[in-house]
Amino acid sequence: MFRGLRASSSEERAERERTTAAAAWAYIRTETGSAAVLLAATLTALVWVNVAPGSYAEVWQTHLAVVLGGHGVELTLRDWVNSGLMTLFFLVVGLEARREFDLGELRDRRRIPLPMLAGISGMVVPVAFYLAVNAGRPSAHGWGTAMSTDTAFALGMMALLGSRFPPRLHTFILTVAVVDDFVALAVIAVAYSDHISWTPLIIGVAFLAVAFVVRGLGVRRGQVYAVLGIAAWVGFVHSGVDPLVVGLVLGLMSYAYPASRDALERATGLFRSFREQPTAELEREARLGIASALSPNDRLQRIWHPWSSYVIVPLFALANAGIHIDGPLLKDAFTSPITLGILLGYNLGKPVGIVGMAALSTWLSRGRMRPPVGWGAVLGGGTIAGIGFTVSLLIATLAFDGRQLDQAKIGVLSAVVLAMLITTAVALVTQRLPEERRARALLGTAQSVVDLTHPVDPGRDHVRGPLDAPVTVVEYGDFECPFCGQAESVVRELLSDFGDVRYVWRHLPLTDVHPHAQFAAEAAEAAAAQGRFWEMHDLLMDRQDALRVKDLVLHAADIGLDIETFKEALKSRTGKARVAQDVESADESGVSGTPTFFVNGRRHHGAYDIEGLSAAVMAARDRALLVEGGGR
């Protein structure tokens, strides 16, 4: 069998990589790799500071100034990382949150309140634990160190656990983490910023307002937003308010939307013009046309997410995780209220706050507001949220110094290790549950967001398999697309392996890249008029290199159709309207490339191999049975 199939043309491949689900999985894969790099950077910092403590301090205290016309910014190298590069990290967090808000689970606005409440509770409860341990002590000022989840590290750890938790948990925890980041930045600005200078702060806010207006005017030039963002950042730096908020706000401003078929067809035309006349002017037009088909959110994520995951966050760890460890420090740390408060806040307060608020909200709403996953998965999300590395260290450097800072760092690093171990234990225990209880614990009974705008109609759609099957797989396909031809063998194997799946084919001929696809689709409809749709479908898939009109007539003869009736149907194009209906439904569901699969109305992500589709079918079957109240 094949894995990770590729499109037959650069246009199709580019479009497919831009789909919402593919973007989500690309995000998760990036976090998986970055978690390993982040861990390596942390260990490097610990080794460096214990082998050569003088050089570690000297390097990160080096001053670097950027001056233009007598004005500029002068910071230490550590501050350039913490307040400069980390702004780009928060830009990526804002971009991903905006993508989920526009295209993901959160486009159903009814799903927003629960993770928002869980995010707030998941900060308040850890702070309460920290203050309970540090009450009446000067260290109580560091309460902000025990409240914020590290988005990158938490999602990276969750991705490393793979299939032990359902993918929908990522969206839930991402939303919790974004709320977390917003509140953390507000706390930094109010409680841990230096004396605020209002004039530069107003200037910085004004530049953000200008960026908002420019976005409303439809300006797509990245250079414009870069200039406005840098100006706002400088204003916040001089105001005494941490400038990280600039990145988050700009990320949330960036719209996310799927590439439309019209935009892709325009890009295809521009590329063909360049292919015929490869001039510099046409190259620029083709490049801009392809870029304009993408949403600003997609383009910015593709640029900055790898830098954030593999460079910026590891650099932050390298600059801040260094602790000169010795016996007395460890003894002091694990008896210190700072360290204990952080450990209790993250490893007990976080899961209690998140799971408790989710349960309370579900109970008070009588089930109308419930998590998108089961309670076992919610518990795993609550424990993994106990990773508070990045923002926690950032606040620790603002709240403490000297020995207390070292104690706080030990608490933060220990909480990371404990959160990983506890989450792994939750995953292992959940996996050992009986099959039905495990499905309920992981998947829950909340209804899924439906991506397929036109439900399956057995009286109109072309259906294979039992009509009352609990799982329906819909494919939008193109008979001339080699990628669809490869996927066909997977579909046939899927239907052979699962007896309770119905499969639906809908037409989406990509006429700009496949000149014979439209007539092939109409030929299939002509065969359907004689009750032989699936025979013609299978033959067209097996003979994708023979789709001219004379070939279609030969195919009709091979499956025993009335040839004259078939020819008349092709000539009068009686199937054109039926194909157009499928194309219209594809457009309304945001489909612009082939093949695109929907499983029980939800768009399938990942590879179109037998393992990927089988996993999606089994998860959909489990969820369908759970929602209906039945057993496995």
Side-chain angles (χ1 to χ4, degrees), residues 495-540:
L495 294 176
S496 173
D497 291 344
F498 293 90
D500 56 352
V501 173
R502 65 173 179 172
Y503 168 73
V504 177
W505 169 274
R506 288 181 177 176
H507 302 288
L508 183 59
L510 303 179
T511 54
D512 57 326
V513 290
H514 299 144
H516 304 107
Q518 177 67 32
F519 262 110
E522 293 179 22
E525 291 303 320
Q530 298 187 42
R532 298 289 183 86
F533 173 82
W534 288 110
E535 291 86 344
M536 179 62 82
H537 167 278
D538 295 345
L539 202 57
L540 293 174

Side-chain angles (χ1 to χ4, degrees), residues 11 265-286:
E11 294 91 347
E265 288 171 0
R266 283 196 301 271
T268 300
L270 290 170
F271 180 79
R272 282 178 172 170
S273 297
F274 170 71
R275 176 66 181 84
E276 293 167 359
Q277 294 184 339
T279 64
E281 181 179 355
L282 289 177
E283 179 272 336
R284 179 177 179 276
E285 289 182 6

